Amino acid sequence: MTIREQLEIRETSYLSPYACLSSKSAGRERPEQECDIRPVFQRDRDRILHCKSFRRLKQKTQVFLLPKGDHYRTRMTHTLEVSQNARTLAKALRLNEDLTEAIALGHDLGHTPFGHAGERALDQVCPLGFRHNEQSVRVVERLEKQGEGLNLTWEVRDGILNHKSSGKPHTLEGQIVRLSDKIAYINHDIDDAVRGGILKETDIPEKFRKVLGETSKIRLDTMIHDVIIHSMDRPDISMSLDVEQATMGLRKFMFEHVYLNPVAKGEEEKAIHMIKNLYEYYIHHIEKLPDQFLCMLDEGVLKEQIVCDYIAGMTDTYAVKKFEEYFIPESWNY
């Protein structure tokens, strides 16, 4: 009996009846020989962690565009905090940690440079539209490994696709990531906003602090414990009514006072301008794209999709570099 088979047997005896078992996965689009050591979801987690799209997250904006300081979150640190929250919940609820972690690590792989500003720019300029959750699936199915994709299991791809508020993951592990994403960004974005002088802890409405706590640490602890208490041995992942209302109220507060704050978002129009101009440039100069992307033209993929694929994969710094290359006279670069 292989180590993988032993681990699969251990899952059946330990995990909750509501957990997604590795041995019961719906499988991959392309059948593969099983690993003798790792169950399928652990392999998916490892593939995501080692892929180039994951490494690029370290130079992609979370909220603050090119902040002056080393301690602001990036898209990668956001992803890691989502993963940690999700693993804590999955372990406590006896759900599949490997599946949960794989979804968490992969949920933002398709995110654009400059965060949601870049996403909005591509959505506005591309007639096909653009949504980062769908792009994340496209990354793992088609774009990674020089067009081969990562060939992940159906459960991981489902969780990545449905991690947004409007999504409905088919596994509890996917539901955990969807909620952990909100828990993470609400709390760490408050921390970054305080660091950036946009908020003070006392600016948070008292009605939310009374339910959730006075500090980020306490709020995070309250949310995690509440999810565990109200999801234990149940077929869905949820919060108590009062904590859920306070959490969603705090999220709305953050949109009004941080995500749309002109101090935090003062540079966004510049970022949107860059992304839109890069899109139009590549549409008219498609030959400038790397061969990996040009090959998709021969396969019948629309050039609008290919240009989105390329731009969405850029880091903030690379997007700025390409914009300067195409639109700023060389003599002006000092």
Side-chain angles (χ1 to χ4, degrees), residues 1 30 117 119 143 182 252 276 308:
M1 181 181 295
R30 301 190 303 274
E119 181 177 20
L143 300 179
K182 295 183 185 63
K252 182 179 179 182
K276 288 184 174 181
C308 279

Side-chain angles (χ1 to χ4, degrees), residues 141-175:
E141 287 185 342
R142 179 66 178 85
L143 300 179
E144 268 293 336
K145 294 186 67 175
Q146 299 296 312
E148 293 182 12
L150 301 181
N151 197 29
L152 304 181
T153 55
W154 178 86
E155 292 82 2
V156 174
R157 289 180 284 127
D158 171 77
I160 291 173
L161 178 65
N162 292 299
H163 79 268
K164 294 177 67 176
S165 297
S166 58
K168 295 182 179 179
H170 288 77
T171 64
L172 294 193
E173 289 82 359
Q175 290 184 32

Side-chain angles (χ1 to χ4, degrees), residues 149-216:
L150 301 181
N151 197 29
L152 304 181
T153 55
W154 178 86
E155 292 82 2
V156 174
R157 289 180 284 127
D158 171 77
I160 291 173
L161 178 65
N162 292 299
H163 79 268
K164 294 177 67 176
S165 297
S166 58
K168 295 182 179 179
H170 288 77
T171 64
L172 294 193
E173 289 82 359
Q175 290 184 32
I176 282 178
V177 174
R178 182 181 58 177
L179 189 52
S180 295
D181 187 29
K182 295 183 185 63
I183 292 173
Y185 70 66
I186 289 171
N187 284 288
H188 66 51
D189 291 350
I190 290 174
D191 185 50
D192 281 352
V194 171
R195 178 174 292 107
I198 294 171
L199 277 183
K200 298 188 295 291
E201 286 283 355
T202 52
D203 292 332
I204 299 172
E206 184 179 358
K207 60 182 178 180
F208 302 144
R209 287 186 280 128
K210 184 176 180 180
V211 175
L212 301 175
E214 296 288 340
T215 67
S216 289

Side-chain angles (χ1 to χ4, degrees), residues 2-228:
T2 65
I3 294 174
R4 170 185 56 79
E5 290 170 330
Q6 294 176 43
L7 293 173
E8 290 173 347
I9 291 173
R10 185 184 301 173
E11 285 184 1
T12 62
S13 62
Y14 173 73
L15 293 184
S16 162
Y18 300 111
C20 184
L21 300 178
S22 301
S23 59
K24 301 296 183 180
S25 170
R28 310 178 187 280
E29 286 191 335
R30 301 190 303 274
E32 296 181 9
Q33 183 176 351
E34 296 284 6
C35 177
D36 62 333
I37 298 174
R38 298 168 297 166
V40 289
F41 300 137
Q42 185 182 350
R43 291 184 80 185
D44 285 359
R45 178 261 186 200
D46 294 350
R47 290 178 183 186
I48 291 169
L49 187 65
H50 289 286
C51 77
K52 291 187 291 186
S53 299
F54 183 81
R55 295 197 293 275
R56 291 198 298 270
L57 294 177
K58 68 182 178 180
Q59 291 185 350
K60 291 193 177 189
T61 290
Q62 172 59 23
V63 172
F64 293 85
L65 294 175
L66 301 175
K68 295 180 180 179
D70 296 331
H71 300 128
Y72 291 87
R73 271 70 172 191
T74 65
R75 189 61 56 177
M76 176 176 281
T77 52
H78 160 72
T79 294
L80 295 175
E81 291 188 37
V82 173
S83 176
Q84 183 57 56
N85 292 341
R87 285 186 59 202
T88 297
L89 291 171
K91 179 173 286 188
L93 296 172
R94 291 187 298 116
L95 298 176
N96 196 310
E97 281 188 72
D98 289 335
L99 172 57
T100 304
E101 186 173 19
I103 296 170
L105 293 177
H107 82 281
D108 271 354
L109 289 179
H111 228 303
T112 55
F114 311 118
H116 288 287
E119 181 177 20
R120 288 196 302 274
L122 283 183
D123 188 49
Q124 291 168 8
V125 75
C126 177
L128 303 176
F130 184 89
R131 286 160 290 278
H132 80 271
N133 58 316
E134 296 175 2
Q135 188 67 19
S136 294
V137 174
R138 183 163 171 77
V139 166
V140 301
E141 287 185 342
R142 179 66 178 85
L143 300 179
E144 268 293 336
K145 294 186 67 175
Q146 299 296 312
E148 293 182 12
L150 301 181
N151 197 29
L152 304 181
T153 55
W154 178 86
E155 292 82 2
V156 174
R157 289 180 284 127
D158 171 77
I160 291 173
L161 178 65
N162 292 299
H163 79 268
K164 294 177 67 176
S165 297
S166 58
K168 295 182 179 179
H170 288 77
T171 64
L172 294 193
E173 289 82 359
Q175 290 184 32
I176 282 178
V177 174
R178 182 181 58 177
L179 189 52
S180 295
D181 187 29
K182 295 183 185 63
I183 292 173
Y185 70 66
I186 289 171
N187 284 288
H188 66 51
D189 291 350
I190 290 174
D191 185 50
D192 281 352
V194 171
R195 178 174 292 107
I198 294 171
L199 277 183
K200 298 188 295 291
E201 286 283 355
T202 52
D203 292 332
I204 299 172
E206 184 179 358
K207 60 182 178 180
F208 302 144
R209 287 186 280 128
K210 184 176 180 180
V211 175
L212 301 175
E214 296 288 340
T215 67
S216 289
K217 179 180 179 180
I218 295 174
R219 284 190 291 271
L220 182 60
D221 189 68
T222 298
M223 292 176 186
I224 294 294
H225 275 83
D226 189 79
V227 174
I228 293 170

